[in-house]
Amino acid sequence: WTGSPVVDGNPRDLGAGFEWAVCLNRLGLFHKLRGDFRQARSNFEEALDRFARIPIEDVQLLIAKAQTRANLGLLAWAEGNLKEANQEFQTAIQSLPDNPQADKCDANGSLELSIARAKIGGNFVALLMETDPDQAEVELRNGTASLEESLGVGEELEYVSTLGQRSTVLDK
């Protein structure tokens, strides 16, 4: 996998089906913002159907599918269906690899997947804060640890945090 669809130095065209699905996802967001939840749901579901027909495994495709699934979660949340929202967010997060580097992903792809997981995870934690604050804390810790691991910055952040705490103590 590559961060952007590139094969032998040339951009790989994921096809009109991909572009159409991305447009449907964006159209779904538009309808959600306008309060037309029925049309938004229809657009998100059609986008997912079109993404499923694309035979290429690619980072951009994985992210687009996960973002569309997360948008269904946001829609369910707006409709007051917290159980469905929870399921959609979990499905979106689980559709993205935990360890992109182990999945033969280059550095750009790994970073893009990590950022997508963090964004979707942030929405999921916000939902859990309303329904299950203890689980929200667990998910937040897991998401932070996963992001630190994929970026290789866990130890550095801990060190910087420790330095910051020492500096605060010295300033007093």
Side-chain angles (χ1 to χ4, degrees), residues 79-109:
E79 293 172 323
N81 188 341
L82 301 183
K83 183 177 180 181
E84 179 188 346
N86 188 316
Q87 289 174 315
E88 294 293 358
F89 283 126
Q90 285 187 24
T91 300
I93 291 168
Q94 291 168 0
S95 72
L96 297 171
D98 275 338
N99 186 353
Q101 295 163 340
D103 291 325
K104 302 175 188 157
C105 196
D106 71 5
N108 284 341

mmCIF file of all heavy atoms in Angstrom, residues 79-109:
data_model
loop_
_atom_site.group_PDB
_atom_site.id
_atom_site.type_symbol
_atom_site.label_atom_id
_atom_site.label_comp_id
_atom_site.label_asym_id
_atom_site.label_seq_id
_atom_site.Cartn_x
_atom_site.Cartn_y
_atom_site.Cartn_z
ATOM 1 N N GLU A 79 -29.555 11.474 15.137
ATOM 2 C CA GLU A 79 -30.930 10.960 15.190
ATOM 3 C C GLU A 79 -31.296 10.439 16.574
ATOM 4 O O GLU A 79 -32.443 10.084 16.816
ATOM 5 C CB GLU A 79 -31.109 9.830 14.166
ATOM 6 C CG GLU A 79 -31.007 10.281 12.740
ATOM 7 C CD GLU A 79 -31.004 9.131 11.750
ATOM 8 O OE1 GLU A 79 -30.408 8.064 12.044
ATOM 9 O OE2 GLU A 79 -31.597 9.299 10.673
ATOM 10 N N GLY A 80 -30.307 10.382 17.465
ATOM 11 C CA GLY A 80 -30.560 9.897 18.822
ATOM 12 C C GLY A 80 -30.428 8.392 18.965
ATOM 13 O O GLY A 80 -30.755 7.832 20.008
ATOM 14 N N ASN A 81 -29.928 7.719 17.937
ATOM 15 C CA ASN A 81 -29.756 6.270 17.986
ATOM 16 C C ASN A 81 -28.313 5.968 18.394
ATOM 17 O O ASN A 81 -27.448 5.715 17.561
ATOM 18 C CB ASN A 81 -30.092 5.650 16.624
ATOM 19 C CG ASN A 81 -30.114 4.136 16.668
ATOM 20 O OD1 ASN A 81 -29.567 3.520 17.576
ATOM 21 N ND2 ASN A 81 -30.738 3.544 15.674
ATOM 22 N N LEU A 82 -28.077 5.995 19.705
ATOM 23 C CA LEU A 82 -26.716 5.869 20.213
ATOM 24 C C LEU A 82 -26.141 4.473 20.014
ATOM 25 O O LEU A 82 -24.942 4.318 19.792
ATOM 26 C CB LEU A 82 -26.677 6.264 21.689
ATOM 27 C CG LEU A 82 -27.146 7.690 21.987
ATOM 28 C CD1 LEU A 82 -27.009 8.003 23.472
ATOM 29 C CD2 LEU A 82 -26.395 8.716 21.159
ATOM 30 N N LYS A 83 -26.994 3.450 20.063
ATOM 31 C CA LYS A 83 -26.512 2.086 19.857
ATOM 32 C C LYS A 83 -25.982 1.919 18.433
ATOM 33 O O LYS A 83 -24.905 1.376 18.221
ATOM 34 C CB LYS A 83 -27.634 1.080 20.128
ATOM 35 C CG LYS A 83 -27.199 -0.356 20.016
ATOM 36 C CD LYS A 83 -28.323 -1.311 20.357
ATOM 37 C CE LYS A 83 -27.848 -2.745 20.230
ATOM 38 N NZ LYS A 83 -28.899 -3.705 20.531
ATOM 39 N N GLU A 84 -26.732 2.396 17.449
ATOM 40 C CA GLU A 84 -26.282 2.315 16.058
ATOM 41 C C GLU A 84 -25.023 3.156 15.857
ATOM 42 O O GLU A 84 -24.085 2.731 15.171
ATOM 43 C CB GLU A 84 -27.370 2.784 15.092
ATOM 44 C CG GLU A 84 -26.935 2.741 13.638
ATOM 45 C CD GLU A 84 -27.926 3.383 12.681
ATOM 46 O OE1 GLU A 84 -29.081 3.647 13.070
ATOM 47 O OE2 GLU A 84 -27.516 3.639 11.537
ATOM 48 N N ALA A 85 -24.987 4.341 16.452
ATOM 49 C CA ALA A 85 -23.812 5.204 16.329
ATOM 50 C C ALA A 85 -22.573 4.488 16.862
ATOM 51 O O ALA A 85 -21.517 4.479 16.215
ATOM 52 C CB ALA A 85 -24.040 6.516 17.080
ATOM 53 N N ASN A 86 -22.713 3.866 18.013
ATOM 54 C CA ASN A 86 -21.619 3.112 18.623
ATOM 55 C C ASN A 86 -21.131 2.018 17.673
ATOM 56 O O ASN A 86 -19.927 1.875 17.441
ATOM 57 C CB ASN A 86 -22.102 2.519 19.955
ATOM 58 C CG ASN A 86 -20.997 1.877 20.751
ATOM 59 O OD1 ASN A 86 -20.176 1.159 20.221
ATOM 60 N ND2 ASN A 86 -21.010 2.115 22.045
ATOM 61 N N GLN A 87 -22.064 1.270 17.095
ATOM 62 C CA GLN A 87 -21.693 0.186 16.177
ATOM 63 C C GLN A 87 -20.973 0.718 14.939
ATOM 64 O O GLN A 87 -19.988 0.127 14.487
ATOM 65 C CB GLN A 87 -22.936 -0.597 15.745
ATOM 66 C CG GLN A 87 -23.528 -1.445 16.849
ATOM 67 C CD GLN A 87 -24.838 -2.097 16.411
ATOM 68 O OE1 GLN A 87 -25.697 -1.453 15.810
ATOM 69 N NE2 GLN A 87 -24.988 -3.371 16.733
ATOM 70 N N GLU A 88 -21.469 1.813 14.383
ATOM 71 C CA GLU A 88 -20.852 2.372 13.179
ATOM 72 C C GLU A 88 -19.426 2.859 13.454
ATOM 73 O O GLU A 88 -18.523 2.622 12.653
ATOM 74 C CB GLU A 88 -21.702 3.514 12.604
ATOM 75 C CG GLU A 88 -23.052 3.097 12.084
ATOM 76 C CD GLU A 88 -23.009 2.203 10.847
ATOM 77 O OE1 GLU A 88 -21.917 1.907 10.313
ATOM 78 O OE2 GLU A 88 -24.090 1.784 10.410
ATOM 79 N N PHE A 89 -19.224 3.536 14.602
ATOM 80 C CA PHE A 89 -17.878 3.995 14.935
ATOM 81 C C PHE A 89 -16.934 2.818 15.143
ATOM 82 O O PHE A 89 -15.789 2.833 14.684
ATOM 83 C CB PHE A 89 -17.884 4.895 16.177
ATOM 84 C CG PHE A 89 -18.370 6.286 15.909
ATOM 85 C CD1 PHE A 89 -19.413 6.827 16.659
ATOM 86 C CD2 PHE A 89 -17.802 7.074 14.924
ATOM 87 C CE1 PHE A 89 -19.875 8.109 16.423
ATOM 88 C CE2 PHE A 89 -18.254 8.362 14.682
ATOM 89 C CZ PHE A 89 -19.291 8.880 15.438
ATOM 90 N N GLN A 90 -17.408 1.790 15.845
ATOM 91 C CA GLN A 90 -16.561 0.617 16.067
ATOM 92 C C GLN A 90 -16.194 -0.050 14.745
ATOM 93 O O GLN A 90 -15.042 -0.434 14.534
ATOM 94 C CB GLN A 90 -17.250 -0.371 16.997
ATOM 95 C CG GLN A 90 -17.246 0.077 18.434
ATOM 96 C CD GLN A 90 -17.788 -0.985 19.374
ATOM 97 O OE1 GLN A 90 -17.758 -2.165 19.071
ATOM 98 N NE2 GLN A 90 -18.286 -0.561 20.522
ATOM 99 N N THR A 91 -17.170 -0.174 13.851
ATOM 100 C CA THR A 91 -16.909 -0.777 12.543
ATOM 101 C C THR A 91 -15.892 0.063 11.764
ATOM 102 O O THR A 91 -14.984 -0.485 11.132
ATOM 103 C CB THR A 91 -18.218 -0.917 11.736
ATOM 104 O OG1 THR A 91 -19.129 -1.746 12.472
ATOM 105 C CG2 THR A 91 -17.969 -1.528 10.367
ATOM 106 N N ALA A 92 -16.047 1.383 11.816
ATOM 107 C CA ALA A 92 -15.121 2.273 11.105
ATOM 108 C C ALA A 92 -13.700 2.119 11.633
ATOM 109 O O ALA A 92 -12.746 1.970 10.853
ATOM 110 C CB ALA A 92 -15.584 3.726 11.239
ATOM 111 N N ILE A 93 -13.550 2.124 12.949
ATOM 112 C CA ILE A 93 -12.218 2.005 13.552
ATOM 113 C C ILE A 93 -11.604 0.644 13.240
ATOM 114 O O ILE A 93 -10.430 0.547 12.881
ATOM 115 C CB ILE A 93 -12.291 2.250 15.074
ATOM 116 C CG1 ILE A 93 -12.622 3.722 15.340
ATOM 117 C CG2 ILE A 93 -10.982 1.862 15.754
ATOM 118 C CD1 ILE A 93 -13.001 4.024 16.776
ATOM 119 N N GLN A 94 -12.396 -0.416 13.356
ATOM 120 C CA GLN A 94 -11.882 -1.761 13.115
ATOM 121 C C GLN A 94 -11.528 -2.006 11.651
ATOM 122 O O GLN A 94 -10.749 -2.906 11.348
ATOM 123 C CB GLN A 94 -12.892 -2.802 13.601
ATOM 124 C CG GLN A 94 -13.022 -2.818 15.104
ATOM 125 C CD GLN A 94 -14.219 -3.621 15.595
ATOM 126 O OE1 GLN A 94 -14.971 -4.183 14.822
ATOM 127 N NE2 GLN A 94 -14.392 -3.660 16.911
ATOM 128 N N SER A 95 -12.060 -1.199 10.748
ATOM 129 C CA SER A 95 -11.758 -1.386 9.324
ATOM 130 C C SER A 95 -10.381 -0.851 8.949
ATOM 131 O O SER A 95 -9.880 -1.141 7.864
ATOM 132 C CB SER A 95 -12.836 -0.720 8.461
ATOM 133 O OG SER A 95 -12.731 0.688 8.513
ATOM 134 N N LEU A 96 -9.777 -0.081 9.843
ATOM 135 C CA LEU A 96 -8.436 0.454 9.590
ATOM 136 C C LEU A 96 -7.424 -0.374 10.372
ATOM 137 O O LEU A 96 -7.624 -0.642 11.554
ATOM 138 C CB LEU A 96 -8.360 1.920 10.015
ATOM 139 C CG LEU A 96 -9.278 2.865 9.250
ATOM 140 C CD1 LEU A 96 -9.278 4.249 9.889
ATOM 141 C CD2 LEU A 96 -8.872 2.947 7.793
ATOM 142 N N PRO A 97 -6.322 -0.781 9.734
ATOM 143 C CA PRO A 97 -5.335 -1.616 10.424
ATOM 144 C C PRO A 97 -4.780 -0.940 11.667
ATOM 145 O O PRO A 97 -4.534 0.262 11.670
ATOM 146 C CB PRO A 97 -4.229 -1.798 9.378
ATOM 147 C CG PRO A 97 -4.811 -1.402 8.080
ATOM 148 C CD PRO A 97 -5.944 -0.473 8.360
ATOM 149 N N ASP A 98 -4.581 -1.737 12.734
ATOM 150 C CA ASP A 98 -3.978 -1.234 13.970
ATOM 151 C C ASP A 98 -2.526 -0.835 13.749
ATOM 152 O O ASP A 98 -2.060 0.170 14.257
ATOM 153 C CB ASP A 98 -3.996 -2.302 15.059
ATOM 154 C CG ASP A 98 -5.297 -2.339 15.816
ATOM 155 O OD1 ASP A 98 -6.018 -1.327 15.825
ATOM 156 O OD2 ASP A 98 -5.605 -3.396 16.399
ATOM 157 N N ASN A 99 -1.816 -1.670 13.033
ATOM 158 C CA ASN A 99 -0.399 -1.449 12.819
ATOM 159 C C ASN A 99 -0.136 -1.383 11.315
ATOM 160 O O ASN A 99 0.209 -2.389 10.712
ATOM 161 C CB ASN A 99 0.412 -2.571 13.465
ATOM 162 C CG ASN A 99 1.900 -2.306 13.391
ATOM 163 O OD1 ASN A 99 2.337 -1.354 12.757
ATOM 164 N ND2 ASN A 99 2.677 -3.162 14.028
ATOM 165 N N PRO A 100 -0.314 -0.213 10.722
ATOM 166 C CA PRO A 100 -0.162 -0.098 9.276
ATOM 167 C C PRO A 100 1.199 -0.543 8.769
ATOM 168 O O PRO A 100 1.324 -1.063 7.682
ATOM 169 C CB PRO A 100 -0.364 1.390 8.994
ATOM 170 C CG PRO A 100 -1.034 1.935 10.199
ATOM 171 C CD PRO A 100 -0.650 1.053 11.343
ATOM 172 N N GLN A 101 2.255 -0.362 9.567
ATOM 173 C CA GLN A 101 3.589 -0.752 9.119
ATOM 174 C C GLN A 101 3.681 -2.254 8.897
ATOM 175 O O GLN A 101 4.352 -2.720 7.986
ATOM 176 C CB GLN A 101 4.634 -0.294 10.127
ATOM 177 C CG GLN A 101 4.699 1.215 10.205
ATOM 178 C CD GLN A 101 5.392 1.723 11.439
ATOM 179 O OE1 GLN A 101 5.524 1.010 12.425
ATOM 180 N NE2 GLN A 101 5.825 2.966 11.399
ATOM 181 N N ALA A 102 2.959 -3.019 9.718
ATOM 182 C CA ALA A 102 2.971 -4.469 9.570
ATOM 183 C C ALA A 102 2.173 -4.902 8.350
ATOM 184 O O ALA A 102 2.301 -6.019 7.889
ATOM 185 C CB ALA A 102 2.405 -5.130 10.825
ATOM 186 N N ASP A 103 1.347 -4.025 7.829
ATOM 187 C CA ASP A 103 0.519 -4.342 6.676
ATOM 188 C C ASP A 103 1.129 -3.830 5.382
ATOM 189 O O ASP A 103 0.434 -3.492 4.439
ATOM 190 C CB ASP A 103 -0.887 -3.738 6.868
ATOM 191 C CG ASP A 103 -1.649 -4.434 7.968
ATOM 192 O OD1 ASP A 103 -1.483 -5.653 8.111
ATOM 193 O OD2 ASP A 103 -2.401 -3.756 8.673
ATOM 194 N N LYS A 104 2.489 -3.736 5.361
ATOM 195 C CA LYS A 104 3.209 -3.350 4.140
ATOM 196 C C LYS A 104 2.809 -1.969 3.645
ATOM 197 O O LYS A 104 2.636 -1.746 2.457
ATOM 198 C CB LYS A 104 2.998 -4.393 3.055
ATOM 199 C CG LYS A 104 3.433 -5.772 3.464
ATOM 200 C CD LYS A 104 3.090 -6.771 2.401
ATOM 201 C CE LYS A 104 3.365 -8.163 2.942
ATOM 202 N NZ LYS A 104 2.634 -9.188 2.282
ATOM 203 N N CYS A 105 2.668 -1.060 4.556
ATOM 204 C CA CYS A 105 2.258 0.300 4.225
ATOM 205 C C CYS A 105 3.494 1.190 4.282
ATOM 206 O O CYS A 105 4.315 1.044 5.182
ATOM 207 C CB CYS A 105 1.234 0.732 5.271
ATOM 208 S SG CYS A 105 0.288 2.151 4.835
ATOM 209 N N ASP A 106 3.630 2.118 3.337
ATOM 210 C CA ASP A 106 4.770 3.020 3.399
ATOM 211 C C ASP A 106 4.527 4.086 4.473
ATOM 212 O O ASP A 106 3.477 4.115 5.116
ATOM 213 C CB ASP A 106 5.079 3.636 2.032
ATOM 214 C CG ASP A 106 4.048 4.649 1.566
ATOM 215 O OD1 ASP A 106 3.115 4.969 2.326
ATOM 216 O OD2 ASP A 106 4.175 5.123 0.430
ATOM 217 N N ALA A 107 5.509 4.958 4.684
ATOM 218 C CA ALA A 107 5.419 5.942 5.770
ATOM 219 C C ALA A 107 4.221 6.870 5.608
ATOM 220 O O ALA A 107 3.522 7.163 6.577
ATOM 221 C CB ALA A 107 6.709 6.747 5.846
ATOM 222 N N ASN A 108 3.966 7.351 4.389
ATOM 223 C CA ASN A 108 2.816 8.233 4.176
ATOM 224 C C ASN A 108 1.511 7.514 4.467
ATOM 225 O O ASN A 108 0.616 8.057 5.097
ATOM 226 C CB ASN A 108 2.793 8.771 2.738
ATOM 227 C CG ASN A 108 3.804 9.850 2.503
ATOM 228 O OD1 ASN A 108 4.299 10.459 3.440
ATOM 229 N ND2 ASN A 108 4.129 10.075 1.250
ATOM 230 N N GLY A 109 1.393 6.296 3.983
ATOM 231 C CA GLY A 109 0.169 5.524 4.210
ATOM 232 C C GLY A 109 -0.035 5.240 5.678
ATOM 233 O O GLY A 109 -1.150 5.320 6.196
#
